[in-house]
Amino acid sequence: NYIVNHLNEGDLFNIVIFNHTNQALWSTHQPFTPANVTTALNFINNITATGNTDIGAAFNLAVPQFVNASLNTANIIIFLTDGQPTSGITNTTQLVNYVDGLINANKTDIFLFNPKTNTNINQQLLSQLATNNSGAVSFLGDNEVYAAITDFYNLIRNPVMLDPTFTVGPNGSVLDVYPVDLP
């Protein structure tokens, strides 16, 4: 609710829920308007945790919505889960490759952020998904969720730089740079 209520004018958004079935609120991203906020909040307030966790299917719904997204905007997926993949693709390597393939085929840079709750999560999977897609992951305790999500969203809400790079002149003495891709 906090994120939806604090979107910026001009933002486009959607919500995808995933368990044993997967559903997007809308078929495409929608503009931040009072009517769409009301619809989204009603949708969020009716979400219940049931069934399995099909992460691959969730990304299969979310990623194609970025096909016409501008390369000059912060195209962000905030991926919230409280568990491990238990339906669809459940192998960590296969799931990371599947999601990376969806994002690469989309030909639009998508930044993937994973604020995670619960101790029963696949930290390796979530870390690889974020790292491979110019994002970040954080692991939260059950009592930290609201503060951490609001702090996290306030941090990414107005990005100053997208896809930063740097160069070293011919006289530079740099031997190595880490990380290879700047976050």
Side-chain angles (χ1 to χ4, degrees), residues 9-132:
E9 188 166 329
D11 284 349
L12 300 174
F13 74 107
N14 202 352
I15 299 167
V16 173
I17 59 171
F18 56 100
N19 48 35
H20 60 281
T21 61
N22 302 285
Q23 177 185 1
L25 174 56
W26 297 292
S27 60
T28 61
H29 290 137
Q30 297 298 306
F32 172 67
T33 65
N36 286 342
V37 166
T38 299
T39 300
L41 294 175
N42 287 334
F43 184 76
I44 291 167
N45 291 330
N46 286 305
I47 294 173
T48 57
T50 60
N52 294 318
T53 303
D54 192 340
I55 293 172
F59 279 97
N60 196 44
L61 279 174
V63 170
Q65 293 190 25
F66 289 91
V67 72
N68 294 318
S70 170
L71 295 175
N72 297 320
T73 60
N75 299 306
I76 296 172
I77 292 176
I78 301 172
F79 179 61
L80 302 170
T81 185
D82 65 352
Q84 299 197 35
T86 56
S87 181
I89 304 169
T90 58
N91 176 276
T92 297
T93 301
Q94 291 174 347
L95 186 53
V96 168
N97 290 338
Y98 179 75
V99 172
D100 288 352
L102 285 172
I103 291 173
N104 290 333
N106 195 59
K107 297 185 176 21
T108 300
D109 289 335
I110 297 175
F111 303 96
L112 177 57
F113 294 93
N114 300 323
K116 299 296 163 250
T117 62
N118 196 329
T119 55
N120 184 30
I121 57 174
N122 185 332
Q123 293 186 7
Q124 179 186 10
L125 169 66
L126 302 177
S127 296
Q128 285 181 321
L129 287 173
T131 302
N132 291 1

Side-chain angles (χ1 to χ4, degrees), residues 2-3 76-80 111-116 135-138 140 144-158:
Y2 181 85
I3 293 170
I76 296 172
I77 292 176
I78 301 172
F79 179 61
L80 302 170
F111 303 96
L112 177 57
F113 294 93
N114 300 323
K116 299 296 163 250
V137 64
S138 60
L140 317 171
E144 302 172 304
V145 175
Y146 183 80
I149 295 294
T150 57
D151 290 348
F152 160 78
Y153 182 69
N154 288 333
L155 181 69
I156 69 164
R157 182 177 178 200
N158 297 303

Side-chain angles (χ1 to χ4, degrees), residues 165-175 177:
T165 61
F166 76 93
T167 58
V168 177
N171 296 329
S173 59
V174 175
L175 299 176
V177 176

